[in-house]
Amino acid sequence: MAALKIDAALARDYTIRKGARFRLAKFACDDAGPFGAEGKSKGKALLAAAAERLSHLQEKLAAQDRWSLLLVFQGMDASGKDSLMSRVFAGLNPAGFQVTSFKAPTAHELDHDFLWRHQIALPQRGRIGVFNRSHYEETLVVRVHPEYLAAQHVPPSLLGADVWKERFEDINAWERHLTRNGTAIRKFYLHLSHEEQARQFLERIDDPSKHWKYNAGDVAERQHWDAYMQAYEATIRATATEHAPWVVVPSDRRWFGRLVVASAVIEALESLDLAYPEPDEKTRVAMTTQRAELQADLDAA
């Protein structure tokens, strides 16, 4: 039980609820929290305990059918989003769990506002939904590459000097709307160092089993690293709120980053006061009657 309590609290030091003074430099990519650099084995044990807790909470979420949970994942290439999700959420029931991976928008999607394709991918009540990349690409990659903004068919008169400020306002209003209607939100930035990304890319080149992950464009994008870090800092500063906080996940030590994510998801679900619904009077009467019938069948067998 103590391990589960640690899991639920671990992410607090990495959670940003008021972004005004946020500085990315205050967070270490290779942080290992209270476990230290040699805490990998203990971290794995805690993650296994967290997986059991997540499974139990997911069942309550589905049974209650009132809330949904949206988890947003952003990070530089090779920050480990896919492997993190496969391990942290391995114990969840797939019937109540969905992952949407957002690629470059299609022509059809570009003929709608930038939030449209994300709105239609939201999880239903009782479900957990993951956005693997998300609406925040609009304040990250699009900001670093403004030519993408020019291709969005937005009237030029609406793309003035305040376009990023306006997009932050739109995102905050949208997330506020979602939380007011029963969708809890947690947003995760996988904080990877420039050096660790290089090591990950080298591994993709040197290991034949990982060649399928290699993309020359990902490596070329490293030349924009500083611009991306500035964009992430500005985005988190402008959109970290009490109702939709960001979690800065140390990602050089992947075992610890997974534990931070599990901790934050447990905290989010436990904050919803989930409970199994009570049967109504008609159902209780039917249960009593049918229990007697079923027991009689067993006794007669």
Side-chain angles (χ1 to χ4, degrees):
M1 192 69 180
L4 293 178
K5 183 177 181 181
I6 293 172
D7 280 350
L10 185 64
R12 290 175 188 167
D13 289 342
Y14 307 92
T15 301
I16 314 301
R17 295 180 179 274
K18 296 180 180 179
R21 297 184 179 179
F22 173 75
R23 294 295 181 272
L24 195 54
K26 293 182 179 180
F27 294 85
C29 299
D30 62 350
D31 194 356
F35 308 110
E38 304 304 319
K40 188 173 182 178
S41 59
K42 183 175 182 179
K44 285 185 174 180
L46 284 171
L47 187 61
E52 290 187 24
R53 182 62 181 154
L54 283 171
S55 177
H56 179 63
L57 289 165
Q58 183 200 24
E59 184 177 69
K60 282 187 175 183
L61 180 76
Q64 192 180 62
D65 197 29
R66 290 292 181 271
W67 294 92
S68 60
L69 176 62
L70 174 63
L71 307 173
V72 172
F73 287 88
Q74 291 287 158
M76 297 295 287
D77 294 314
S79 58
K81 293 185 294 297
D82 292 340
S83 61
L84 182 151
M85 287 184 276
S86 69
R87 287 166 173 77
V88 173
F89 304 126
L92 295 186
N93 183 345
F97 180 72
Q98 65 194 58
V99 178
T100 305
S101 296
F102 291 98
K103 308 297 184 183
T106 65
H108 178 64
E109 290 167 341
L110 287 172
D111 274 336
H112 293 82
D113 68 87
F114 77 92
L115 289 171
W116 177 80
R117 65 175 180 158
H118 308 286
Q119 175 71 31
I120 63 176
L122 290 169
Q124 300 166 251
R125 298 190 193 280
R127 294 175 63 88
I128 298 172
V130 167
F131 283 0
N132 185 355
R133 300 191 187 275
S134 69
H135 46 296
Y136 283 102
E137 292 292 282
E138 294 294 327
T139 66
L140 297 166
V141 65
V142 176
R143 189 167 188 171
V144 173
H145 293 283
E147 65 271 21
Y148 297 159
L149 184 62
Q152 292 186 355
H153 303 175
V154 179
S157 61
L158 301 180
L159 299 178
D162 291 334
V163 62
W164 306 117
K165 176 177 178 289
E166 291 166 353
R167 290 209 165 180
F168 290 145
E169 291 172 352
D170 292 340
I171 287 171
N172 285 337
W174 184 61
E175 291 179 350
R176 175 77 273 184
H177 163 75
L178 295 180
T179 58
R180 284 174 172 168
N181 284 273
T183 297
I185 301 172
R186 293 297 184 274
K187 303 172 297 197
F188 300 91
Y189 166 56
L190 274 58
H191 191 24
L192 184 75
S193 70
H194 196 239
E195 296 75 19
E196 181 61 24
Q197 189 193 53
R199 284 189 282 270
Q200 293 294 327
F201 284 157
L202 283 171
E203 190 172 323
R204 292 179 182 184
I205 292 171
D206 296 338
D207 184 347
S209 71
K210 297 187 177 182
H211 284 177
W212 65 276
K213 293 183 177 182
Y214 173 74
N215 184 321
D218 293 345
V219 179
E221 199 70 359
R222 283 169 60 81
Q223 66 182 303
H224 302 291
W225 184 272
D226 290 344
Y228 273 110
M229 294 303 100
Q230 292 170 12
Y232 269 109
E233 183 169 276
T235 291
I236 295 172
R237 190 182 302 148
T239 61
T241 61
E242 286 287 348
H243 57 274
W246 278 96
V247 181
V248 178
V249 181
S251 295
D252 281 13
R253 303 185 194 276
R254 298 198 170 186
W255 63 268
F256 182 66
R258 292 163 187 161
L259 198 58
V260 169
V261 171
S263 165
V265 177
I266 288 172
E267 179 277 325
L269 288 168
E270 289 184 338
S271 73
L272 302 180
D273 194 25
L274 301 174
Y276 294 110
E278 294 289 336
D280 58 24
E281 182 61 26
K282 182 179 179 180
T283 302
R284 281 196 293 269
V285 171
M287 289 169 62
T288 301
T289 301
Q290 291 179 342
R291 188 189 187 289
E293 294 172 352
L294 291 167
Q295 188 62 54
D297 287 347
L298 287 177
D299 293 343

